[in-house]
């Protein structure tokens, strides 16, 4: 299984970006999909998660600005980021909990390669 993250870039404060995370390989289903971010010199932090049923959770600092979504038919997750701030600058990583074979009860965790998001003030 591979996760391909894309959509990062350089935008001015107040702008928007949409990140995508496409999963490929042997996949029966994907449980939770999540986005994390890691700023320089800091640990990698969870930003948002979406469950199989579409329930979403966010860290407080992005609530009302970021929206996580998924297209299960395409095995793809998204992170719409609006009203971006300089403190959102980080490398963003997607994570997916994947059931590769229907007879495997426990999901396996896979990470994307990261996409750089830079917000200028």
């Amino acid at each position: 299984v591979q996760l391909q993250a894309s959509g990062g870039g350089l935008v001015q404060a107040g702008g928007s970006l949409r990140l995508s995370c496409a999963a490929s390989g042997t996949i029966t289903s994907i449980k939770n999909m999540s986005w994390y971010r890691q700023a320089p010199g800091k640990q990698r932090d969870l930003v948002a998660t979406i469950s199989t049923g579409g329930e979403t959770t966010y860290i407080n600092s992005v609530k009302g600005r970021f929206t996580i979504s998924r297209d299960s038919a395409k095995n793809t997750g998204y992170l719409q980021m609006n009203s971006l701030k300089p403190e959102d600058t980080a490398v963003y990583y997607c994570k997916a909990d994947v059931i590769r074979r229907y007879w495997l009860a426990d999901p396996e965790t896979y990470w994307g390669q990261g996409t750089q998001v830079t917000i200028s003030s």
Side-chain angles (χ1 to χ4, degrees):
V1 175
Q2 291 187 327
L3 299 185
Q4 181 68 44
S6 61
L10 170 64
V11 299
Q12 290 186 330
S16 297
L17 285 171
R18 188 191 194 208
L19 306 183
S20 298
C21 176
S24 61
T26 302
I27 298 171
T28 296
S29 64
I30 298 177
K31 299 299 184 181
N32 290 346
M33 296 189 78
S34 301
W35 287 94
Y36 287 71
R37 66 186 181 187
Q38 186 168 19
K42 297 189 176 181
Q43 66 182 20
R44 188 176 299 186
D45 292 325
L46 176 63
V47 175
T49 297
I50 185 166
S51 71
T52 305
E55 293 85 6
T56 58
T57 58
Y58 302 90
I59 58 171
N60 287 336
S61 61
V62 307
K63 284 181 180 178
R65 300 189 298 121
F66 290 11
T67 302
I68 189 171
S69 61
R70 63 191 292 171
D71 184 335
S72 295
K74 296 181 178 178
N75 289 329
T76 299
Y78 306 96
L79 186 67
Q80 177 68 42
M81 305 185 295
N82 299 327
S83 301
L84 283 160
K85 304 176 180 180
E87 51 264 42
D88 295 317
T89 295
V91 178
Y92 283 70
Y93 298 89
C94 58
K95 180 174 76 77
D97 299 321
V98 177
I99 300 289
R100 290 193 299 115
R101 303 288 188 180
Y102 70 90
W103 62 83
L104 296 175
D106 297 325
E108 299 171 28
T109 297
Y110 294 89
W111 289 87
Q113 83 285 9
T115 184
Q116 177 70 48
V117 171
T118 303
I119 312 303
S120 63
S121 57

